[in-house]
Structure formats: C-alpha cells, structure tokens
Amino acid sequence: MIDEDELDEVEEGLVDLAMRGWRTLDEHPLDPRSKRVQLEHNELSTLPKTIGTLEFMWKLDVSHNRLEALPRTIGKCTRLRILNVDHNYLEDIPKELGQCFFLEEINAEHNSLVTVPSTLGSLQQLRELRLKHNRLENLPVEIGGLDTLEVLDCSENENLAMVPEKLRDDSEMVKFVIKLHYDTLKHITQIKQNYADVKDALQKQEHANLRLRDAIEQCKADKEAIIESLVPDEVADTCTVS
C-alpha cells in the first residue's frame, strides 16, 4: 500500500509515485480515491486492470516507463481529462479509451504506434492529441470531426502517407488534411446512401408497376369472363376487350 506519509496527498487526490524505480504496481495498489496519479519515470511494463476502478481520476501520467500496452479497463475511467503515456513502447491504444468522453489531452509521443483507434473521434472535448515520433501509417479520419481539437502533432512519422511529408510538422495543416479526409469520406458516404435510397425507391416502384400490370391483366381477364358469362357465344365472338 501507499506509505503513511503519502496519505495526506491521497486524501487531496494527488498520488505522486514518480521516479521510484518500480517495475510493477502489484505490491502498491492505488487508492480508489485517487484523482491525479503520477507514475512517470518508473520501470513499469504493465498497468493493472484495477486502474479502471479509479473512477475519480482526472489525470494519469505514466510517461517514461516501459509500457507495451494499456489495459482495456482504462475506458472505465470516465472522469479522465489528461492522459500522458509518452516515452513508452506502446504499439496500440485500446479502443475503449474512446469511452473517456471528458478527455482533453492525450500525449502518446515517442511510442511504437502504427495507428490509433477510430473511437478517439468520439472525444468531443479533446483539445490536444500528441503523436510525435511513432510509426504511424494512417490516422482514423474520424479525428477530423473533432471541432475542439487545437493540437494534432504527427511529426516524425515517416510512414504517415495520408499527410504529405512537408506538412507533418505543421499542426494546423495536419488538422486540415485530416479534416479534408473526413469531409470527403462523409460526402462519399452520403452519396452512397443517396444511391442506395434511389435504388431502393426504383425497386419499390418496379414492384408496384409489376403489381399494377398484373392487376390490369386480371381486370381484363375478369371482364372477358363476365362478357362470356352474360353474352351469347355468337355475340361474344364479335366483342373485343380494350
């Protein structure tokens, strides 16, 4: 457990456990009352699943560790506003992070990320997304729909083909390019939907025309049958059905 001399800070919500040289938190469970958790500059390779029980936590700093993954339970930290996971060995970010709707800042610089989850497009309060010096090959276009986003740093990602190399160091231009991708995809999606609606309407009209034709043919047949039943055969032969 946390040392006695740290309890005052815990009661205020601050848990400063930085630079302890810890490799694991198994022997150092975090207090559920924690609001700001500082774990930077340790040797942590994993975070416990119980991180999801810190329902009051608004800041988590695990930068400068040896993390290769984040637990999916981090999505339960719904009050989280600031997440610092820079300078680790992360290869991906769990999609569940998109459930932390109050997130304002994500710093994931200097990792091994190839992409980030499209669910980040749900973070309507996100202001900063720092992804410098990773292995990004693409970014989800959903990020382009974040009107609150002020900083999108994707510099030093050589394989990020969707953003021209000369623009990657310019946050404003990166945002512009991603927004362009987002608007284009949105427009194409709308065109596809319109086409599907028109196709469906035409199919319904075709089916209606077929039913109408069948009804007309049935009317003609009924009319002929009525004529045949009421008119002598020699007269019926001279009648034509229009």
Side-chain angles (χ1 to χ4, degrees):
M1 286 294 292
I2 300 169
D3 296 337
E4 288 293 330
D5 58 357
E6 293 168 344
L7 286 178
D8 290 340
E9 291 182 338
V10 171
E11 290 174 359
E12 297 175 4
L14 170 62
V15 181
D16 189 352
L17 303 174
M19 295 186 291
R20 303 294 180 96
W22 290 350
R23 297 178 181 274
T24 177
L25 292 178
D26 291 346
E27 298 179 1
H28 312 281
L30 298 174
D31 193 290
R33 299 169 294 173
S34 303
K35 294 182 180 180
R36 182 156 65 99
V37 180
Q38 305 286 147
L39 291 166
E40 66 270 25
H41 292 281
N42 278 289
E43 301 291 330
L44 299 173
S45 59
T46 61
L47 290 178
K49 294 180 180 180
T50 52
I51 198 77
T53 64
L54 305 184
E55 58 179 315
F56 300 106
M57 181 173 64
W58 64 268
K59 180 179 180 179
L60 174 62
D61 191 339
V62 287
S63 59
H64 295 273
N65 276 279
R66 297 180 177 276
L67 297 176
E68 297 181 1
L70 296 176
R72 296 171 60 182
T73 52
I74 197 169
K76 296 181 179 180
C77 301
T78 54
R79 287 183 171 87
L80 192 62
R81 301 205 311 267
I82 300 175
L83 176 64
N84 293 336
V85 293
D86 54 289
H87 294 85
N88 279 283
Y89 300 96
L90 298 176
E91 296 183 358
D92 59 34
I93 291 177
K95 64 181 181 180
E96 287 77 11
L97 190 63
Q99 299 171 9
C100 301
F101 298 117
F102 292 105
L103 263 173
E104 299 176 8
E105 301 176 17
I106 299 176
N107 187 346
E109 295 179 349
H110 291 268
N111 278 283
S112 299
L113 299 173
V114 176
T115 187
V116 294
S118 60
T119 53
L120 296 189
S122 301
L123 304 178
Q124 294 299 317
Q125 298 191 37
L126 191 64
R127 295 185 294 104
E128 297 183 9
L129 179 57
R130 300 183 182 275
L131 300 169
K132 178 181 179 180
H133 198 91
N134 275 279
R135 299 177 182 177
L136 293 175
E137 296 178 359
N138 59 70
L139 287 173
V141 296
E142 288 82 0
I143 292 176
L146 296 176
D147 296 331
T148 58
L149 197 60
E150 298 173 1
V151 176
L152 177 56
D153 188 351
C154 298
S155 58
E156 299 182 28
N157 283 279
E158 298 179 357
N159 299 321
L160 188 59
M162 67 189 303
V163 179
E165 182 177 358
K166 293 182 179 180
L167 303 180
R168 292 174 195 159
D169 293 338
D170 189 331
S171 179
E172 289 299 319
M173 291 305 300
V174 173
K175 286 193 298 178
F176 172 78
V177 171
I178 301 302
K179 182 69 162 57
L180 186 62
H181 281 284
Y182 173 78
D183 290 341
T184 300
L185 179 61
K186 186 177 180 181
H187 184 60
I188 292 175
T189 302
Q190 187 60 55
I191 290 175
K192 288 182 177 179
Q193 184 59 54
N194 292 343
Y195 172 78
D197 291 343
V198 171
K199 184 178 180 180
D200 183 59
L202 289 175
Q203 289 177 340
K204 290 180 178 178
Q205 185 61 51
E206 182 178 359
H207 292 158
N209 291 341
L210 290 174
R211 289 195 297 271
L212 179 60
R213 186 187 65 184
D214 292 342
I216 292 174
E217 293 297 326
Q218 185 62 49
C219 286
K220 288 182 178 181
D222 292 344
K223 184 176 181 180
E224 291 178 354
I226 293 172
I227 291 175
E228 290 178 357
S229 65
L230 298 177
V231 180
D233 292 342
E234 59 272 16
V235 177
D237 291 339
T238 64
C239 294
T240 59
V241 178
S242 58

